[in-house]
Amino acid sequence: NHLMVLGLLAFKVTIHRHQLYFRLHNDLKTPPFSIIFQGITRQHLDHGILPCIKYFINFCFYKFGLEISLIVAVNVIGQRMDFYALLHSCALLAVLSRRRRKAIGEVWPKYCCFTAGLMVLQYLLCIGIPPALYPWRTAVQPLTSNVIKWFYLPDFAMKPNPSFIFDHLLLLCSSLQWQVFEEENRAAVRLLAGDNVEISRSLDPCSFNQFIPVNNFLHCCYLDMVKVFVFSYFFWLVLCLIFITGTTRINIFCLGYLVACFYFMLFGGSVLMQPVRYILRLWDWLIGYTCFVIAMKNLLS
């Protein structure tokens, strides 16, 4: 594993030095953003399938890094299912309670420090302490092995699992997202990749076409067909996932998913024609309930 890490570091440094030499030799400027395809900007996004793919290869994490980081955080909670997973659940709820992207960006450095601190603490717990100093084993009524495992305490009878691959992936994604929050405020990056400004919550969906700089898509090319699928059927695809989540297991938590699914299906596509503030409030409640279920399942496991 150490040789693999050294090999990857050497490979990265080689590529970086080669790019630096190539730019100096050809008198090229270093781009303000680390991208693969040069010359692809936000203006090329709607020119076809191939420019769209190139754009998202360049700026996928810039546009969807926050969502990717939250997905990785949920994956960490599902993989660990212990006391530190419960702490991650509380941190996830605290971040999502900010709702707006700008507000999340203000607390994101604290979330990164929280993730890094948990990793350091877990590493120290894996190193352990002398066996004679284990009060949870030497007490008159010692803790059971399952409780010790859930709290991730050092134990001479059953060592804690030292695998931090998912925690490291979460720290990596959250650190990259911290960098995105800083770079999206730079004018040069916004001109190249577009802005991440949220739409106003006071707008009426019927007047969206006044604020969208892209022409209407009516099956003019394959990219327009993809847009029709995403914007017309993705809502129903999400409802199918909610229904599957609610019917996979039979417990009190799944009842909330079924209620949410049937509520959205009752009103259908008319929900999307409501004011933006009303639509986002519904999805905020659904996301908040999902985070609550994740935390409760981890606590009751």
Side-chain angles (χ1 to χ4, degrees):
N1 292 333
H2 294 87
L3 291 177
M4 184 181 298
V5 172
L6 290 176
L8 291 175
L9 290 175
F11 184 68
K12 176 189 178 299
V13 172
T14 302
I15 293 177
H16 176 74
R17 293 295 181 182
H18 181 270
Q19 290 178 338
L20 181 62
Y21 171 78
F22 181 82
R23 292 191 181 103
L24 291 175
H25 183 73
N26 294 277
D27 196 20
L28 299 175
K29 294 182 179 180
T30 303
F33 209 81
S34 299
I35 56 178
I36 297 177
F37 298 102
Q38 302 291 335
I40 298 296
T41 63
R42 176 61 182 83
Q43 287 72 25
H44 301 87
L45 177 60
D46 302 289
H47 291 177
I49 288 287
L50 187 59
C52 180
I53 294 175
K54 290 182 178 180
Y55 173 82
F56 280 114
I57 291 177
N58 283 344
F59 306 108
C60 178
F61 202 87
Y62 175 81
K63 286 294 183 181
F64 304 107
L66 179 59
E67 291 78 9
I68 294 174
S69 300
L70 296 179
I71 292 173
V72 174
V74 174
N75 188 32
V76 169
I77 296 171
Q79 293 292 332
R80 296 191 61 92
M81 295 300 289
D82 56 7
F83 175 70
Y84 295 96
L86 182 62
L87 295 181
H88 278 292
S89 302
C90 296
L92 186 63
L93 282 170
V95 170
L96 291 177
S97 64
R98 310 290 292 186
R99 299 182 65 185
R100 290 182 176 273
R101 182 182 179 90
K102 185 177 181 180
I104 293 176
E106 293 175 355
V107 301
W108 197 258
K110 299 178 182 178
Y111 179 73
C112 292
C113 295
F114 166 79
T115 306
L118 276 189
M119 280 200 62
V120 174
L121 177 61
Q122 293 172 81
Y123 179 77
L124 294 177
L125 291 177
C126 286
I127 295 177
I129 56 179
L133 301 179
Y134 288 177
W136 43 89
R137 283 295 188 185
T138 58
V140 179
Q141 293 182 348
L143 298 178
T144 62
S145 297
N146 289 333
V147 175
I148 293 175
K149 181 180 179 182
W150 191 78
F151 278 103
Y152 204 74
L153 297 173
D155 186 20
F156 56 85
M158 184 175 57
K159 295 182 180 179
N161 185 12
S163 178
F164 300 126
I165 182 65
F166 295 103
D167 301 77
H168 176 266
L169 186 60
L170 174 59
L171 181 60
L172 174 63
C173 292
S174 58
S175 301
L176 291 175
Q177 183 57 36
W178 186 359
Q179 182 180 0
V180 169
F181 279 131
E182 294 179 349
E183 290 186 339
E184 67 184 12
N185 295 322
R186 297 167 51 194
V189 175
R190 290 200 301 267
L191 290 175
L192 187 64
D195 59 64
N196 286 334
V197 179
E198 292 182 344
I199 193 171
S200 176
R201 294 173 180 257
S202 59
L203 290 179
D204 185 2
C206 297
S207 61
F208 278 174
N209 56 351
Q210 302 177 10
F211 307 96
I212 299 177
V214 182
N215 296 328
N216 291 331
F217 40 90
L218 297 174
H219 301 281
C220 300
C221 62
Y222 289 109
L223 180 60
D224 293 339
M225 297 174 65
V226 174
K227 291 180 180 179
V228 170
F229 173 78
V230 171
F231 295 117
S232 298
Y233 303 108
F234 206 72
F235 172 73
W236 301 103
L237 178 61
V238 173
L239 291 187
C240 291
L241 294 178
I242 297 174
F243 181 78
I244 293 173
T245 303
T247 55
T248 302
R249 294 180 177 87
I250 302 176
N251 53 48
I252 189 63
F253 298 119
C254 293
L255 180 61
Y257 293 116
L258 292 177
V259 171
C261 180
F262 289 135
Y263 178 83
F264 283 112
M265 286 186 174
L266 177 64
F267 295 98
S270 62
V271 175
L272 302 179
M273 301 307 296
Q274 299 296 324
V276 176
R277 188 182 303 274
Y278 175 77
I279 299 173
L280 294 181
R281 187 183 300 115
L282 293 178
W283 288 108
D284 286 340
W285 278 105
L286 179 59
I287 293 174
Y289 177 75
T290 304
C291 295
F292 171 76
V293 170
I294 292 173
M296 291 304 299
K297 284 188 174 181
N298 179 75
L299 181 62
L300 299 175
S301 63

